[in-house]
Amino acid sequence: MGFEAGKFNQASYDENDNWAKTIFVKHLIRNGYKVLSTKEDFGVDLTAEKDNKLYYFELEVKTRYPFTSRDTFQFDTVSFLARKKRLHDQNPFIYVIICKETEYALCCESEDIFKDEYEEFVTINTTRRKGLDKMYRVPKDKVKFFKLDTL
């Protein structure tokens, strides 16, 4: 079942996708990963390899709520889009949310996100999204916060 506020937003994608991939690829390379794919195929955003292990990443950009750590993240939970669960069902991945204002990020493995206990229905009212959406709200102490290493 889809929700109006949960629909894909092309304008947001156009504004953020390339920026997020560019900055996160730099971070991965600086940390010893080999980036294998950033191809847009309606699957995960990035595939990378490190120490002969494959990693899948889904990227999201957040604005208006800057953070640099768990302590500066102003909410008790981190909201992850329920529509991304289909990606987890195909292949577990690491869900990364990048703060555009600070270039810090947070991440959580999809297997730790998409649990019934974290599922909530939320009313969204932003300039780009309005209506009911399903989210997974994970306590922030279960999420890793880090600075993107891009220099």
Side-chain angles (χ1 to χ4, degrees):
M1 176 180 196
F3 299 96
E4 185 64 30
K7 288 184 180 176
F8 173 78
N9 185 292
Q10 186 68 48
S12 179
Y13 172 86
D14 292 344
E15 182 179 321
N16 295 305
D17 184 68
N18 189 56
W19 178 83
K21 285 179 181 175
T22 299
I23 193 170
F24 199 68
V25 163
K26 287 179 185 177
H27 172 78
L28 289 176
I29 291 169
R30 296 273 303 166
N31 285 278
Y33 289 81
K34 177 182 178 187
V35 176
L36 303 175
S37 176
T38 61
K39 181 181 178 201
E40 187 56 52
D41 61 1
F42 303 102
V44 293
D45 290 318
L46 286 168
T47 305
E49 179 183 27
K50 183 176 182 181
D51 300 328
N52 295 316
K53 182 177 177 187
L54 282 176
Y55 293 88
Y56 303 92
F57 297 94
E58 180 64 17
L59 307 179
E60 184 178 334
V61 176
K62 287 291 187 195
T63 59
R64 300 181 316 158
Y65 301 105
F67 64 86
T68 57
S69 68
R70 181 175 288 110
D71 292 335
T72 62
F73 190 79
Q74 61 184 287
F75 305 102
D76 293 331
T77 60
V78 178
S79 296
F80 297 94
L81 297 168
R83 73 173 185 258
K84 302 296 182 172
K85 186 176 186 299
R86 69 174 175 77
L87 300 173
H88 169 76
D89 294 342
Q90 295 167 4
N91 194 45
F93 64 93
I94 300 170
Y95 199 140
V96 180
I97 299 176
I98 303 170
C99 176
K100 199 161 194 177
E101 292 91 348
T102 64
E103 296 186 3
Y104 276 71
L106 59 83
C107 70
C108 193
E109 294 190 23
S110 62
E111 63 192 20
D112 295 327
I113 296 170
F114 300 111
K115 297 179 176 182
D116 291 344
E117 65 203 79
Y118 298 144
E119 182 182 284
E120 287 188 29
F121 293 89
V122 181
T123 300
I124 307 294
N125 187 13
T126 67
T127 56
R128 291 190 172 151
R129 298 174 59 221
K130 293 187 186 334
L132 190 64
D133 198 1
K134 184 163 83 168
M135 307 290 277
Y136 286 84
R137 290 190 160 171
V138 178
K140 69 180 179 180
D141 65 337
K142 298 188 181 301
V143 176
K144 178 183 175 186
F145 289 76
F146 59 99
K147 177 158 181 44
L148 293 172
D149 185 5
T150 60
L151 300 175

mmCIF file of all heavy atoms in Angstrom, residues 34-56:
data_model
loop_
_atom_site.group_PDB
_atom_site.id
_atom_site.type_symbol
_atom_site.label_atom_id
_atom_site.label_comp_id
_atom_site.label_asym_id
_atom_site.label_seq_id
_atom_site.Cartn_x
_atom_site.Cartn_y
_atom_site.Cartn_z
ATOM 1 N N LYS A 34 36.671 0.198 -2.969
ATOM 2 C CA LYS A 34 36.673 0.321 -4.426
ATOM 3 C C LYS A 34 35.201 0.445 -4.837
ATOM 4 O O LYS A 34 34.402 -0.469 -4.578
ATOM 5 C CB LYS A 34 37.293 -0.909 -5.075
ATOM 6 C CG LYS A 34 37.263 -0.865 -6.587
ATOM 7 C CD LYS A 34 37.851 -2.138 -7.181
ATOM 8 C CE LYS A 34 37.745 -2.072 -8.687
ATOM 9 N NZ LYS A 34 38.158 -3.345 -9.300
ATOM 10 N N VAL A 35 34.845 1.567 -5.442
ATOM 11 C CA VAL A 35 33.456 1.780 -5.862
ATOM 12 C C VAL A 35 33.234 1.032 -7.170
ATOM 13 O O VAL A 35 33.947 1.233 -8.145
ATOM 14 C CB VAL A 35 33.147 3.288 -6.000
ATOM 15 C CG1 VAL A 35 31.744 3.503 -6.536
ATOM 16 C CG2 VAL A 35 33.330 3.982 -4.651
ATOM 17 N N LEU A 36 32.239 0.179 -7.181
ATOM 18 C CA LEU A 36 31.953 -0.663 -8.340
ATOM 19 C C LEU A 36 30.859 -0.097 -9.226
ATOM 20 O O LEU A 36 30.894 -0.280 -10.434
ATOM 21 C CB LEU A 36 31.563 -2.071 -7.885
ATOM 22 C CG LEU A 36 32.583 -2.789 -7.010
ATOM 23 C CD1 LEU A 36 32.035 -4.124 -6.526
ATOM 24 C CD2 LEU A 36 33.897 -2.969 -7.749
ATOM 25 N N SER A 37 29.880 0.571 -8.618
ATOM 26 C CA SER A 37 28.772 1.093 -9.418
ATOM 27 C C SER A 37 28.048 2.227 -8.700
ATOM 28 O O SER A 37 27.804 2.150 -7.501
ATOM 29 C CB SER A 37 27.770 -0.021 -9.721
ATOM 30 O OG SER A 37 26.654 0.496 -10.418
ATOM 31 N N THR A 38 27.719 3.250 -9.481
ATOM 32 C CA THR A 38 26.817 4.313 -9.028
ATOM 33 C C THR A 38 25.689 4.456 -10.041
ATOM 34 O O THR A 38 25.000 5.458 -10.077
ATOM 35 C CB THR A 38 27.551 5.662 -8.865
ATOM 36 O OG1 THR A 38 28.085 6.042 -10.137
ATOM 37 C CG2 THR A 38 28.648 5.586 -7.826
ATOM 38 N N LYS A 39 25.514 3.435 -10.852
ATOM 39 C CA LYS A 39 24.525 3.455 -11.927
ATOM 40 C C LYS A 39 23.110 3.530 -11.365
ATOM 41 O O LYS A 39 22.761 2.817 -10.417
ATOM 42 C CB LYS A 39 24.668 2.189 -12.778
ATOM 43 C CG LYS A 39 23.698 2.132 -13.925
ATOM 44 C CD LYS A 39 23.871 0.848 -14.710
ATOM 45 C CE LYS A 39 22.832 0.821 -15.813
ATOM 46 N NZ LYS A 39 22.596 -0.524 -16.299
ATOM 47 N N GLU A 40 22.322 4.384 -11.956
ATOM 48 C CA GLU A 40 20.928 4.527 -11.537
ATOM 49 C C GLU A 40 20.091 3.434 -12.206
ATOM 50 O O GLU A 40 19.873 3.450 -13.404
ATOM 51 C CB GLU A 40 20.390 5.910 -11.929
ATOM 52 C CG GLU A 40 19.016 6.185 -11.389
ATOM 53 C CD GLU A 40 18.941 6.044 -9.882
ATOM 54 O OE1 GLU A 40 19.770 6.657 -9.194
ATOM 55 O OE2 GLU A 40 18.061 5.321 -9.385
ATOM 56 N N ASP A 41 19.669 2.472 -11.409
ATOM 57 C CA ASP A 41 18.880 1.362 -11.946
ATOM 58 C C ASP A 41 17.680 1.037 -11.056
ATOM 59 O O ASP A 41 17.140 -0.051 -11.102
ATOM 60 C CB ASP A 41 19.758 0.131 -12.133
ATOM 61 C CG ASP A 41 20.354 -0.361 -10.821
ATOM 62 O OD1 ASP A 41 20.073 0.227 -9.760
ATOM 63 O OD2 ASP A 41 21.104 -1.347 -10.853
ATOM 64 N N PHE A 42 17.290 1.982 -10.236
ATOM 65 C CA PHE A 42 16.175 1.833 -9.301
ATOM 66 C C PHE A 42 16.462 0.791 -8.229
ATOM 67 O O PHE A 42 15.565 0.299 -7.577
ATOM 68 C CB PHE A 42 14.856 1.556 -10.030
ATOM 69 C CG PHE A 42 14.525 2.628 -11.017
ATOM 70 C CD1 PHE A 42 14.745 2.437 -12.369
ATOM 71 C CD2 PHE A 42 14.043 3.848 -10.581
ATOM 72 C CE1 PHE A 42 14.466 3.435 -13.287
ATOM 73 C CE2 PHE A 42 13.762 4.856 -11.477
ATOM 74 C CZ PHE A 42 13.972 4.652 -12.839
ATOM 75 N N GLY A 43 17.736 0.477 -8.064
ATOM 76 C CA GLY A 43 18.189 -0.352 -6.964
ATOM 77 C C GLY A 43 18.921 0.539 -5.982
ATOM 78 O O GLY A 43 18.643 1.733 -5.890
ATOM 79 N N VAL A 44 19.889 -0.019 -5.271
ATOM 80 C CA VAL A 44 20.671 0.791 -4.338
ATOM 81 C C VAL A 44 21.490 1.815 -5.112
ATOM 82 O O VAL A 44 21.753 1.656 -6.303
ATOM 83 C CB VAL A 44 21.587 -0.083 -3.455
ATOM 84 C CG1 VAL A 44 20.770 -0.941 -2.513
ATOM 85 C CG2 VAL A 44 22.551 -0.903 -4.278
ATOM 86 N N ASP A 45 21.908 2.866 -4.417
ATOM 87 C CA ASP A 45 22.631 3.963 -5.063
ATOM 88 C C ASP A 45 24.084 3.627 -5.392
ATOM 89 O O ASP A 45 24.613 4.089 -6.398
ATOM 90 C CB ASP A 45 22.603 5.215 -4.179
ATOM 91 C CG ASP A 45 21.223 5.835 -4.117
ATOM 92 O OD1 ASP A 45 20.558 5.905 -5.164
ATOM 93 O OD2 ASP A 45 20.812 6.247 -3.023
ATOM 94 N N LEU A 46 24.733 2.858 -4.535
ATOM 95 C CA LEU A 46 26.159 2.561 -4.711
ATOM 96 C C LEU A 46 26.463 1.123 -4.347
ATOM 97 O O LEU A 46 25.898 0.593 -3.382
ATOM 98 C CB LEU A 46 27.005 3.412 -3.757
ATOM 99 C CG LEU A 46 27.215 4.873 -4.023
ATOM 100 C CD1 LEU A 46 27.822 5.530 -2.796
ATOM 101 C CD2 LEU A 46 28.122 5.078 -5.201
ATOM 102 N N THR A 47 27.383 0.550 -5.086
ATOM 103 C CA THR A 47 27.934 -0.753 -4.736
ATOM 104 C C THR A 47 29.442 -0.564 -4.627
ATOM 105 O O THR A 47 30.060 0.076 -5.476
ATOM 106 C CB THR A 47 27.618 -1.802 -5.827
ATOM 107 O OG1 THR A 47 26.209 -1.824 -6.039
ATOM 108 C CG2 THR A 47 28.080 -3.178 -5.399
ATOM 109 N N ALA A 48 30.021 -1.097 -3.562
ATOM 110 C CA ALA A 48 31.455 -0.961 -3.343
ATOM 111 C C ALA A 48 32.008 -2.262 -2.780
ATOM 112 O O ALA A 48 31.255 -3.132 -2.317
ATOM 113 C CB ALA A 48 31.734 0.199 -2.394
ATOM 114 N N GLU A 49 33.331 -2.356 -2.814
ATOM 115 C CA GLU A 49 34.003 -3.544 -2.306
ATOM 116 C C GLU A 49 35.152 -3.123 -1.413
ATOM 117 O O GLU A 49 35.841 -2.132 -1.677
ATOM 118 C CB GLU A 49 34.531 -4.373 -3.480
ATOM 119 C CG GLU A 49 35.267 -5.620 -3.072
ATOM 120 C CD GLU A 49 35.832 -6.379 -4.255
ATOM 121 O OE1 GLU A 49 36.119 -5.755 -5.297
ATOM 122 O OE2 GLU A 49 36.012 -7.594 -4.129
ATOM 123 N N LYS A 50 35.341 -3.880 -0.348
ATOM 124 C CA LYS A 50 36.492 -3.669 0.526
ATOM 125 C C LYS A 50 36.835 -5.013 1.158
ATOM 126 O O LYS A 50 35.937 -5.715 1.643
ATOM 127 C CB LYS A 50 36.183 -2.634 1.610
ATOM 128 C CG LYS A 50 37.375 -2.332 2.504
ATOM 129 C CD LYS A 50 37.061 -1.231 3.498
ATOM 130 C CE LYS A 50 38.281 -0.925 4.341
ATOM 131 N NZ LYS A 50 37.985 0.121 5.330
ATOM 132 N N ASP A 51 38.103 -5.360 1.126
ATOM 133 C CA ASP A 51 38.563 -6.627 1.709
ATOM 134 C C ASP A 51 37.767 -7.813 1.174
ATOM 135 O O ASP A 51 37.344 -8.695 1.934
ATOM 136 C CB ASP A 51 38.493 -6.574 3.241
ATOM 137 C CG ASP A 51 39.352 -5.461 3.821
ATOM 138 O OD1 ASP A 51 40.405 -5.156 3.218
ATOM 139 O OD2 ASP A 51 38.971 -4.900 4.860
ATOM 140 N N ASN A 52 37.526 -7.808 -0.141
ATOM 141 C CA ASN A 52 36.813 -8.883 -0.836
ATOM 142 C C ASN A 52 35.372 -9.074 -0.371
ATOM 143 O O ASN A 52 34.806 -10.157 -0.516
ATOM 144 C CB ASN A 52 37.568 -10.213 -0.719
ATOM 145 C CG ASN A 52 38.898 -10.150 -1.425
ATOM 146 O OD1 ASN A 52 38.992 -9.643 -2.541
ATOM 147 N ND2 ASN A 52 39.939 -10.652 -0.771
ATOM 148 N N LYS A 53 34.774 -8.029 0.200
ATOM 149 C CA LYS A 53 33.377 -8.085 0.614
ATOM 150 C C LYS A 53 32.613 -6.992 -0.122
ATOM 151 O O LYS A 53 33.083 -5.859 -0.229
ATOM 152 C CB LYS A 53 33.257 -7.883 2.127
ATOM 153 C CG LYS A 53 31.835 -7.981 2.624
ATOM 154 C CD LYS A 53 31.736 -7.861 4.128
ATOM 155 C CE LYS A 53 30.270 -7.902 4.527
ATOM 156 N NZ LYS A 53 30.060 -7.643 5.935
ATOM 157 N N LEU A 54 31.421 -7.347 -0.634
ATOM 158 C CA LEU A 54 30.569 -6.372 -1.313
ATOM 159 C C LEU A 54 29.716 -5.622 -0.304
ATOM 160 O O LEU A 54 29.208 -6.218 0.648
ATOM 161 C CB LEU A 54 29.636 -7.072 -2.307
ATOM 162 C CG LEU A 54 30.252 -7.494 -3.631
ATOM 163 C CD1 LEU A 54 29.223 -8.260 -4.449
ATOM 164 C CD2 LEU A 54 30.754 -6.300 -4.401
ATOM 165 N N TYR A 55 29.560 -4.317 -0.558
ATOM 166 C CA TYR A 55 28.712 -3.465 0.269
ATOM 167 C C TYR A 55 27.741 -2.729 -0.645
ATOM 168 O O TYR A 55 28.120 -2.261 -1.720
ATOM 169 C CB TYR A 55 29.555 -2.433 1.030
ATOM 170 C CG TYR A 55 30.461 -3.049 2.061
ATOM 171 C CD1 TYR A 55 31.745 -3.472 1.723
ATOM 172 C CD2 TYR A 55 30.041 -3.201 3.378
ATOM 173 C CE1 TYR A 55 32.584 -4.041 2.661
ATOM 174 C CE2 TYR A 55 30.878 -3.772 4.329
ATOM 175 C CZ TYR A 55 32.146 -4.181 3.965
ATOM 176 O OH TYR A 55 32.969 -4.750 4.906
ATOM 177 N N TYR A 56 26.515 -2.619 -0.187
ATOM 178 C CA TYR A 56 25.478 -1.899 -0.925
ATOM 179 C C TYR A 56 25.038 -0.725 -0.063
ATOM 180 O O TYR A 56 24.798 -0.887 1.142
ATOM 181 C CB TYR A 56 24.297 -2.827 -1.216
ATOM 182 C CG TYR A 56 24.720 -4.056 -1.976
ATOM 183 C CD1 TYR A 56 25.073 -5.228 -1.313
ATOM 184 C CD2 TYR A 56 24.794 -4.035 -3.363
ATOM 185 C CE1 TYR A 56 25.484 -6.345 -2.006
ATOM 186 C CE2 TYR A 56 25.202 -5.161 -4.069
ATOM 187 C CZ TYR A 56 25.546 -6.309 -3.387
ATOM 188 O OH TYR A 56 25.954 -7.420 -4.086
#
